[in-house]
């Protein structure tokens, strides 16, 4: 179903969205503040580089409000539906928060000790042969990306980090997907989500395009198990594939849309280049790739201080190189051309096409 009337949502829908998102932001911001009180700041003052300034809470909240206003405008324009879990079940919400705080002391211990490679010393079964760059305790989280408990906690942890704005940033990728598919028979189209993780983003894709053939590709068996559970309502048109993003077991020119959400900042430079080349390889000549990832240095100068501190506070060993990199040049070398680039709070959304495609 495609919505074209900008007023279709109605006053009740706007009120529901606004109230739901206000509660969401308060819930996750409150947990961030409580976590800082319980375990100390993410980056103690003694470890902060001199002269780095960061936006205050008011500036962050203004940016978050602008993101949510944009999210609502997209819904009203018919680019995508109201979030399918705008009003999540209270039992799961409370259980997620309890699990987050139960794990917090272990995260704080790693942060204080700067322990970012614990999973290499004691790898979970089956993970020993995964690439060294992947066997990290990203964000200092327990088990890195290699256990069912990590998969259970991940999305909640990310929402706490972004004050409840992570899903809204991801949903900005739905706009170019809608625009690309609206004149096509969706049952004949294929979408690949690279580094699909727990399948969170794909649930939004499938809620809006249920007949679209979709593939969730990720390197973590545990995260794909969570993705399979979440995508069960669309199991007939969705599959999961465990594979390297730099060596995807998919045919050339087989995908109408390739999405890649929050992957590149967790890859070494050489692997970023290889993944970009793979995206270009599997993309159809008239397809699009939709890339969502962190801001880079200079995108929003007011946020540059945050970008500098983030990898120090959350164990992101490849982030600084990503933040300083030239993404258009990286994509061009892989055979991809930037069609558009828009900022969305702390993220950017880039739409790519094969070089030479009209």
């Amino acid at each position: 179903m495609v919505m074209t009337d900008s007023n279709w949502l109605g006053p009740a829908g706007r009120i529901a969205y606004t109230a739901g998102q206000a509660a969401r932001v308060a819930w996750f911001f409150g947990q961030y503040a409580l976590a800082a009180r319980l375990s100390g700041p993410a980056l103690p003052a003694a470890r902060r580089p001199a002269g780095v300034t960061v936006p205050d809470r008011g500036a962050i909240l203004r940016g978050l409000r602008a993101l949510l206003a944009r999210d609502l405008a997209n819904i009203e324009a018919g680019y995508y539906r109201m979030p399918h879990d705008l009003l999540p079940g209270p039992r799961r919400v409370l259980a997620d928060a309890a699990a987050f705080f139960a794990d917090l002391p272990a995260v704080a211990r790693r942060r204080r000790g700067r322990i970012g490679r614990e999973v290499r010393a004691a790898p979970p079964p089956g993970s020993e042969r995964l690439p060294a760059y992947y066997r990290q305790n990203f964000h200092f989280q327990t088990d890195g990306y290699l256990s069912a408990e990590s998969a259970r906690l991940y999305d909640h942890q990310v929402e706490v980090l972004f004050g409840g704005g992570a899903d809204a940033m991801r949903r900005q990728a739905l706009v170019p997907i809608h625009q690309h598919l609206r004149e096509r028979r969706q049952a004949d189209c294929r979408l690949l989500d690279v580094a699909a993780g727990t399948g969170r983003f794909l649930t939004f894709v499938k809620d809006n395009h249920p007949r679209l053939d979709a593939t969730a590709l990720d390197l973590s068996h545990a995260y794909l198990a969570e993705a399979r559970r979440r995508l069960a309502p669309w199991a007939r048109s969705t599959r999961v594939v465990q594979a390297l993003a730099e060596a995807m077991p998919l045919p050339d020119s087989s995908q109408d849309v390739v999405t890649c959400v929050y992957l590149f900042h967790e890859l070494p430079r050489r692997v970023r280049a290889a993944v970009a080349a793979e995206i270009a390889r599997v993309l159809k000549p008239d397809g699009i790739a939709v890339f969502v990832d962190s801001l880079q240095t200079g995108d929003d100068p007011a946020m540059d201080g945050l970008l500098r501190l983030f990898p120090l506070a959350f164990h992101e060993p490849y982030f600084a190189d990503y933040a300083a990199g030239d993404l258009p040049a990286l994509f061009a070398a892989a055979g991809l051309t930037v069609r558009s680039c828009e900022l969305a709070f702390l993220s950017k959304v880039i739409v790519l096409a094969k070089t030479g495609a009209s």
Side-chain angles (χ1 to χ4, degrees), residues 101-271:
F101 283 106
D103 187 55
L104 187 63
V107 174
R109 172 184 60 81
R110 292 186 203 96
R111 181 175 287 121
R112 288 192 299 269
R114 315 306 293 169
I115 303 169
R117 297 180 178 180
E118 193 174 68
V119 291
R120 291 195 197 176
S127 66
E128 299 87 353
R129 295 187 178 182
L130 294 176
Y133 74 79
Y134 188 72
R135 288 182 282 121
Q136 306 263 359
N137 292 83
F138 291 103
H139 319 146
F140 294 114
Q141 67 192 44
T142 300
D143 299 331
Y145 293 136
L146 303 176
S147 74
E149 184 61 17
S150 170
R152 162 86 167 78
L153 286 170
Y154 174 76
D155 290 305
H156 189 91
Q157 291 170 325
V158 172
E159 287 294 0
V160 171
L161 177 62
F162 289 113
D167 277 346
M169 288 190 289
R170 292 183 183 109
R171 282 195 294 272
Q172 302 316 300
L174 297 176
V175 176
I177 293 173
H178 164 85
Q179 293 171 334
H180 186 72
L181 295 178
R182 62 185 173 184
E183 302 299 331
R184 291 169 167 81
R185 187 172 182 272
Q186 294 185 19
D188 296 334
C189 293
R190 294 178 179 177
L191 179 144
L192 167 67
D193 189 25
V194 179
T198 65
R200 179 73 180 158
F201 171 67
L202 266 185
T203 66
F204 293 116
V205 173
K206 294 296 293 185
D207 189 48
N208 286 274
H209 307 284
R211 300 180 65 199
L212 179 66
D213 182 289
T215 299
L217 184 144
D218 201 90
L219 196 49
S220 170
H221 175 77
Y223 275 58
L224 285 175
E226 180 70 11
R228 187 180 289 107
R229 182 188 69 79
R230 293 185 177 190
L231 294 165
W234 307 281
R236 293 182 63 182
S237 57
T238 308
R239 68 192 56 79
V240 301
V241 175
Q242 184 180 15
L244 293 163
E246 61 268 36
M248 295 188 265
L250 296 169
D252 295 356
S253 302
S254 59
Q255 305 298 314
D256 296 89
V257 180
V258 178
T259 56
C260 185
V261 181
Y262 300 137
L263 170 64
F264 272 40
H265 75 271
E266 292 189 343
L267 298 176
R269 184 184 303 186
R270 60 175 180 78
V271 181

Side-chain angles (χ1 to χ4, degrees), residues 65-130:
R65 283 195 294 269
L67 170 70
L68 296 177
R70 176 175 173 178
D71 194 39
L72 178 57
N74 289 339
I75 295 168
E76 291 190 301
Y79 293 133
Y80 47 85
R81 298 163 58 89
M82 190 85 83
H84 57 76
D85 60 350
L86 180 65
L87 299 174
R91 181 177 297 181
R92 179 61 189 260
V93 167
L94 292 173
D96 286 348
F100 169 76
F101 283 106
D103 187 55
L104 187 63
V107 174
R109 172 184 60 81
R110 292 186 203 96
R111 181 175 287 121
R112 288 192 299 269
R114 315 306 293 169
I115 303 169
R117 297 180 178 180
E118 193 174 68
V119 291
R120 291 195 197 176
S127 66
E128 299 87 353
R129 295 187 178 182
L130 294 176

Side-chain angles (χ1 to χ4, degrees), residues 27-52:
W27 177 244
F28 286 111
F29 250 107
Q31 289 179 67
Y32 187 94
L34 180 56
R37 177 172 293 186
L38 292 174
S39 61
L43 186 65
R47 290 179 174 164
R48 289 193 175 202
V52 176

